[in-house]
Amino acid sequence: MELLQSLLLHALNAAFLTLIYHIAIGIHRLLFHPLRKYPGPLTAKLSGFYGAYYAWGRNLHLKTWEDHKKYGPVVRQGPNKLVFNSAGALRDIYQNERITKSRAYLIAQRAPSVWGLFSTMDRQMHQKKRKLLGPVVGNRSLQAFEPTMIDQVDIFLRNLLLSCQDNSSTPVNMTERFSYLTMDIMSHFVFGYPLNLQSETVHRFMTRSTPNIFLNVALQLPFLSKIPVSYFRHIRALLRGSQYHNTQTKMIKARLAKSSHAKQDLLYMSDTLQIPEDDNTFIEEARSEATFILLAGSDTMSTCLSALFFYLSRNTRCYQRLVSEIRSTFRNGGEIRSGSRLASCRYLRACLDEALRMSPPIPGTLWREQVLESYSGTDPLVIDGHIIPPGTEVGVNTYALHHNENYFPEPFEFKPERFLSGDVDIDKRAYEGFAPFSIGPRGCIGKSMAYTEASIIVAKTLWYFDFEQAQGEAGELGKAKSCGLGRMEERIAEYHIRDVFATEHDGPCLNFRPREHYAHDLGKVP
């Protein structure tokens, strides 16, 4: 009995001391912290669980936009976090040699000795990897890969044609179709390996984005980066499942069995990653890069294309102008490939940019922090006129910036013309606030490929088909939904994306009609 009472007393004492500790921490963060002057939600000032809560709800991008509306262009979104909403901050953060990736990204590291392009904080290591990958996504490499890309696009088009048989169109869920198409393209580009998602069901589990939400939650809780990375390996394996792990390993080993130059794919990474004596280490490093590149090249492209087709199906004027541009530029579908004629389709590029603006594939905040070595410098770190204390994480929320009325008037209206105004000041302001691929040394290395791929897909689809919003309940898929955030009256015409670091989305559902005579060419494609 005495032992039980003693244990109970010790437990109460421990609980009391823990309570006192957290109260003291809370008082410090509210009254004495270097960031105490910055406005923000009370719970965000006290704990990183504020961001984690909304990340778990997949709507942190909307909450951040709402917080900027309430508190202004600089918001304290965590005890040591400041999120900005200006083009000046965008430049000051992401084009700054004194700033590197936040340590929170260490949770994406697959093993202690394995550093990927996404997870590495070291700027020299990142630059080295990027320099080696550069030629693989350069113009010469993309030209060599383009026939493979077009083959996959033609499969996509033939599948659309199947949905139009017997003069009755079956609604097509564009999220599903674009997910399969873009992953098929990237599997060929990265490994020269055919996943065949468009024609077979075996590997379609590869398009699931479930683990992304856990990454997004973890990024809001920097203390997790101090946990040994090996602990997260088992969690990632559980979330992805053995199928995902085994398929990646099979893809990597199949590529390694070929000559290093057998095909111009990214495992040409055999040069980039520099195969060590330990094959298992190499496979783990290759898997680290592959996971990032596959998702970066497929999930983001699927979001852009799904959003664009959603907006085109609901904006007749924009749809007709784009159709007219494409069908007057090319004489047949076979001519649609990269080159001067495709580049001359300026309205097509404007439509892609507007879809990327309204529905950014990475809608959240890419957190950064000051490089440790620069703390000893005499000049303080200044972001958009604000002196930033050491140890502070800073970033710009892409969704919030893309819906900032200072750069994009009527931000919830689909207006591709805003990128073609002809007014130098307006155009400059729009592009200053436009960052779907981020900017600076860690900006998306595949930006050129993304525009080429998206342009070919959209142009070929509109050459062979007309489409419209499906009728009834199916036609409502993709519309913005009320989640208690984001001022629904403004978002009513918006494509619904959910923030999981990348995005989750569903729809739109569209009915396609083949253009008479022209669509017969699709049957001739081998």
Side-chain angles (χ1 to χ4, degrees):
M1 187 66 177
E2 290 182 1
L3 178 61
L4 182 62
Q5 289 179 336
S6 177
L7 290 173
L8 180 61
L9 181 62
H10 280 85
L12 289 173
N13 287 336
F16 178 73
L17 291 174
T18 300
L19 177 63
I20 293 297
Y21 171 78
H22 283 96
I23 289 174
I25 290 293
I27 291 173
H28 169 75
R29 288 175 174 175
L30 291 175
L31 302 179
F32 304 105
H33 195 280
L35 301 182
R36 62 187 180 276
K37 69 175 183 179
Y38 290 98
L42 176 62
T43 49
K45 296 177 181 180
L46 292 172
S47 172
F49 283 98
Y50 172 85
Y53 172 80
Y54 288 103
W56 180 255
R58 296 171 167 85
N59 50 33
L60 183 56
H61 64 306
L62 292 175
K63 186 57 179 175
T64 305
W65 175 76
E66 195 174 71
D67 284 347
H68 279 302
K69 283 282 190 179
K70 182 176 181 179
Y71 297 107
V74 187
V75 176
R76 188 179 175 191
Q77 203 176 59
N80 298 300
K81 285 184 171 183
L82 292 178
V83 58
F84 291 78
N85 190 20
S86 70
L90 184 72
R91 294 189 300 271
D92 290 345
I93 294 172
Y94 300 101
Q95 294 180 328
N96 194 326
E97 292 184 355
R98 297 176 60 186
I99 289 178
T100 188
K101 266 196 167 183
S102 164
R103 282 168 290 181
Y105 286 90
L106 291 175
I107 62 169
Q109 190 180 1
R110 300 193 65 89
S113 59
V114 175
W115 297 94
L117 193 67
F118 177 74
S119 62
T120 180
M121 291 175 58
D122 184 88
R123 289 173 299 169
Q124 291 184 341
M125 182 184 295
H126 179 268
Q127 289 170 1
K128 181 179 179 181
K129 283 180 172 289
R130 191 179 175 99
K131 184 177 180 180
L132 289 166
L133 286 171
V136 188
V137 293
N139 289 335
R140 181 178 297 179
S141 178
L142 292 180
Q143 287 174 3
F145 178 72
E146 188 170 309
T148 302
M149 179 194 297
I150 290 176
D151 285 345
Q152 295 303 312
V153 176
D154 288 338
I155 293 173
F156 168 79
L157 296 173
R158 289 198 295 271
N159 286 340
L160 286 183
L161 189 60
L162 288 175
S163 71
C164 306
Q165 287 182 337
D166 301 324
N167 296 319
S168 61
S169 179
T170 302
V172 176
N173 187 322
M174 302 311 294
T175 284
E176 291 181 357
R177 296 296 179 92
F178 285 137
S179 294
Y180 302 151
L181 167 61
T182 55
M183 183 67 84
D184 272 347
I185 289 173
M186 289 307 297
S187 70
H188 279 280
F189 182 68
V190 177
F191 299 111
Y193 189 96
L195 284 174
N196 298 326
L197 305 187
Q198 297 190 91
S199 55
E200 301 172 4
T201 61
V202 177
H203 294 119
R204 287 184 177 175
F205 63 86
M206 296 286 287
T207 62
R208 297 172 193 159
S209 60
T210 301
N212 290 352
I213 187 174
F214 292 93
L215 170 64
N216 204 29
V217 170
L219 287 175
Q220 316 311 317
L221 302 170
F223 71 85
L224 292 178
S225 65
K226 299 177 182 179
I227 299 175
V229 295
S230 57
Y231 290 5
F232 291 106
R233 183 185 301 178
H234 304 295
I235 298 175
R236 281 192 295 264
L238 179 64
L239 293 173
R240 287 289 186 193
S242 59
Q243 281 183 304
Y244 193 97
H245 182 278
N246 293 340
T247 299
Q248 276 197 338
T249 301
K250 181 170 65 175
M251 294 165 74
I252 293 167
K253 287 185 175 181
R255 178 59 182 90
L256 293 180
K258 303 175 185 178
S259 165
S260 64
H261 298 285
K263 202 166 185 178
Q264 193 81 350
D265 55 50
L266 207 60
L267 265 189
Y268 202 68
M269 276 197 317
S270 56
D271 292 335
T272 299
L273 296 176
Q274 298 177 352
I275 300 176
E277 295 180 1
D278 182 357
D279 286 346
N280 291 329
T281 299
F282 172 74
I283 289 175
E284 194 63 36
E285 186 170 353
R287 184 180 290 115
S288 176
E289 295 290 11
T291 300
F292 167 63
I293 295 169
L294 281 173
L295 294 178
S298 59
D299 281 11
T300 56
M301 185 56 56
S302 173
T303 300
C304 170
L305 293 169
S306 298
L308 177 56
F309 275 66
F310 173 89
Y311 290 120
L312 289 175
S313 69
R314 287 156 172 79
N315 292 272
T316 303
R317 178 188 57 81
C318 300
Y319 174 85
Q320 293 296 343
R321 180 173 174 179
L322 180 57
V323 164
S324 176
E325 179 181 74
I326 290 169
R327 294 177 186 175
S328 63
T329 302
F330 302 98
R331 292 170 297 182
N332 59 69
E335 291 183 343
I336 299 175
R337 54 185 64 247
S338 62
S340 58
R341 271 196 285 180
L342 188 62
S344 72
C345 295
R346 296 183 64 240
Y347 194 69
L348 170 58
R349 175 62 176 262
C351 285
L352 289 170
D353 283 345
E354 183 68 342
L356 288 166
R357 182 194 70 80
M358 293 190 70
S359 305
I362 307 293
T365 306
L366 301 175
W367 293 106
R368 300 290 186 261
E369 62 183 50
Q370 188 174 354
V371 178
L372 290 175
E373 299 84 60
S374 69
Y375 284 179
S376 58
T378 56
D379 296 328
L381 178 65
V382 179
I383 305 297
D384 204 22
H386 297 264
I387 296 177
I388 306 301
T392 303
E393 290 185 82
V394 293
V396 173
N397 184 272
T398 306
Y399 181 89
L401 183 63
H402 282 189
H403 291 80
N404 185 329
E405 295 178 356
N406 293 327
Y407 306 102
F408 307 103
E410 299 180 291
F412 290 95
E413 295 292 326
F414 183 74
K415 292 185 175 181
E417 291 80 7
R418 71 175 80 243
F419 291 101
L420 296 171
S421 70
D423 185 312
V424 175
D425 291 334
I426 294 176
D427 288 349
K428 180 181 179 182
R429 188 163 66 248
Y431 279 109
E432 282 181 344
F434 182 66
F437 300 97
S438 192
I439 63 172
R442 289 186 183 265
C444 177
I445 194 172
K447 179 179 177 180
S448 177
M449 178 181 177
Y451 274 120
T452 299
E453 180 182 339
S455 297
I456 290 173
I457 292 170
V458 175
K460 287 183 74 86
T461 303
L462 287 176
W463 172 263
Y464 287 110
F465 295 92
D466 291 304
F467 66 82
E468 62 186 4
Q469 178 183 346
Q471 299 299 310
E473 186 177 345
E476 298 299 304
L477 196 62
K479 288 183 62 175
K481 300 175 182 178
S482 176
C483 56
L485 297 172
R487 306 187 186 192
M488 191 60 203
E489 67 277 7
E490 295 184 66
R491 298 177 48 241
I492 193 151
E494 184 182 43
Y495 181 58
H496 186 62
I497 58 173
R498 295 177 291 276
D499 181 4
V500 291
F501 186 79
T503 58
E504 289 180 343
H505 46 90
D506 194 10
C509 281
L510 306 176
N511 289 329
F512 284 81
R513 296 186 307 277
R515 292 179 69 200
E516 190 174 0
H517 304 306
Y518 295 103
H520 292 304
D521 294 343
L522 293 173
K524 300 176 183 178
V525 179

